[in-house]
Amino acid sequence: QWRVSAAAPLSGGFEARVGASGLEWDGFRPQSSAKKTSANARLAWQGERDRVIVLASVLDQPADDPLGLTRAQFDADPYQTTPQATQFDTRKTLAQQQAGARWTHRFANAGPLADSAVTAYFGERSVTQWLAIASGTQGNPRHGGGVIDFDRSYDGVDARLTWRFGPGDKSIALVTGAAIERQRDDRRGYLNYAGTVTSPSYGVIGALRRDENNSATTRDVYAQAEVPLGESFALSGGVRTGKVKLDASDNYLSNGDDSGQRDFSYTNPVLGLRWQVARGLNLHASVARGFESPTLGELAYRTDGSGGFNTVLQPQKSRQYEVGAKWRGLDGALAIDAALFRVTVEDEIGVATNAGGRQSFQNVGRTLREGAEVSLGWRFTPEWRTQMALTLL
């Protein structure tokens, strides 16, 4: 592996940073080699009241897939590769390009309006994967083939304003914003062989078996405020509300129309209280509600094995509770954080079936997670610092 980077301040308030890295991995089993090459660049400009940062990156990552071993195979030789990996030449290629920018501005003489921030990004991602699926399995006219191939484009914008009401450190801070994120997949499926079903030649891109356009869009608005309550307490609260739209448009209609659409809406509040018990010691408590919609990948297949959008999968919703403490020594050398948490989830999403190179998902019911976290940081000299952490779940 190798890595190179350079950074330098430039005139006029500019600074630049570039870097690149590469990795070649032979793997400890046959059919397990991989490569990864990436490059990135960052350009920043700082003005009197403005700051702009522009980022760009590229990634190329081809990898062979040795597949898994049964317990018997592993016990016999953990360094072997299952014969199906070489028979089907299982592998995956991935390429991605992404760019983004962030502009922040600090207002003067604008009343309670303190500053603004706009973040935007866009990118493209391409993936091709050859799976170990037999030709007979792909004979099912509803099967999408043994090669997954998609080109994805995605972009998003987040704009926010920060307001401050009142004097100095006793002011009420309010953040308001709106965001939109979009994703579009041109998804195709192919046979993973040439020739006939009875005499296949695997490891190639064969006939087309799937052609559809998938899209996902999220639009939401949010607000969050922190209100000081006297000398020792601070109350924080926020809400985020929005809609998610997921859509599949089938262009390969010889085996039926697998188009579909799902729409979800959500409103997630959060409320927290902080108490400064003494100098260096804070106690806090919070409660929040969460929402996670199904992804396009989780909606791609039905649990009964038939084609088409999964029309019954529901989003999972959670409630989160936490109490904790933060203590900092007066000299800053010692820091202790501790927290207890509880998370309840309804309609949690989990794997229903995993067969024929395809995963389908279902809502598995209610789950409960409880636990504790504690961390200790100690700076015993100006040059040396140690940290320890423990999580029980």
Side-chain angles (χ1 to χ4, degrees), residues 19-247:
S21 63
L23 168 69
E24 293 189 20
W25 165 258
D26 289 336
F28 62 89
R29 296 196 286 155
Q31 192 73 16
S32 63
S33 63
K35 294 182 179 180
K36 180 181 180 180
T37 306
S38 64
N40 60 80
R42 178 183 185 271
L43 179 65
W45 174 77
Q46 179 70 60
E48 183 179 355
R49 297 187 179 278
D50 298 272
R51 180 170 177 81
V52 179
I53 300 175
V54 180
L55 302 168
S57 63
V58 294
L59 171 68
D60 182 67
Q61 185 173 316
D64 290 330
D65 183 1
L67 301 178
L69 298 175
T70 65
R71 181 61 197 228
Q73 289 173 321
F74 182 84
D75 289 341
D77 180 9
Y79 298 100
Q80 68 172 310
T81 290
T82 181
Q84 286 84 357
T86 52
Q87 176 190 6
F88 292 94
D89 193 11
T90 48
R91 62 197 189 277
K92 182 178 182 178
T93 63
L94 181 152
Q96 178 171 299
Q97 307 85 39
Q98 180 171 296
R102 179 178 175 84
W103 170 38
T104 58
H105 175 75
R106 184 163 46 88
F107 291 94
N109 303 320
L113 184 57
D115 53 66
S116 64
V118 178
T119 304
Y121 68 91
F122 67 92
E124 294 181 346
R125 183 181 181 93
S126 299
V127 174
T128 306
Q129 184 173 10
W130 287 259
L131 303 171
I133 301 177
S135 57
T137 301
Q138 299 171 72
N140 181 349
R142 304 292 289 172
H143 199 280
V147 177
I148 297 172
D149 181 64
F150 70 83
D151 295 310
R152 172 176 298 164
S153 60
Y154 55 93
D155 55 73
V157 177
D158 182 291
R160 63 184 62 184
L161 296 171
T162 301
W163 311 76
R164 297 191 183 278
F165 303 90
D169 57 0
K170 301 300 181 183
S171 64
I172 298 174
L174 172 65
V175 177
T176 58
I180 179 172
E181 293 183 292
R182 302 180 301 178
Q183 174 183 312
R184 177 182 172 86
D185 293 353
D186 293 329
R187 184 174 291 272
R188 297 164 297 275
Y190 300 92
L191 299 178
N192 61 352
Y193 67 91
T196 64
V197 175
T198 56
S199 182
S201 179
Y202 290 111
V204 300
I205 294 180
L208 181 70
R209 293 296 299 272
R210 183 180 187 181
D211 181 12
E212 62 188 45
N213 301 118
N214 299 335
S215 64
T217 304
T218 300
R219 294 181 174 89
D220 55 10
V221 294
Y222 56 89
Q224 182 170 322
E226 181 163 318
V227 182
L229 302 176
E231 296 294 330
S232 303
F233 291 89
L235 180 68
S236 60
V239 63
R240 191 178 191 106
T241 182
K243 293 184 177 182
V244 179
K245 181 179 181 180
L246 304 166
D247 181 84

Side-chain angles (χ1 to χ4, degrees), residues 292-306:
E292 183 177 328
S293 75
T295 65
L296 287 171
E298 291 168 343
L299 293 173
Y301 306 103
R302 297 178 178 176
T303 56
D304 60 4
S306 62

Side-chain angles (χ1 to χ4, degrees), residues 297-361:
E298 291 168 343
L299 293 173
Y301 306 103
R302 297 178 178 176
T303 56
D304 60 4
S306 62
F309 229 35
N310 189 331
T311 57
V312 299
L313 190 62
Q314 298 299 314
Q316 64 180 42
K317 301 176 181 178
S318 63
R319 285 180 172 82
Q320 304 145 34
Y321 311 87
E322 180 177 313
V323 294
K326 295 179 180 291
W327 180 80
R328 301 292 182 267
L330 297 182
D331 57 359
L334 193 62
I336 300 175
D337 292 351
L340 301 173
F341 59 87
R342 174 186 175 96
V343 182
T344 61
V345 181
E346 295 181 357
D347 292 326
E348 178 144 347
I349 297 174
V351 175
T353 61
N354 191 349
R358 300 290 185 265
Q359 275 189 336
S360 65
F361 293 82

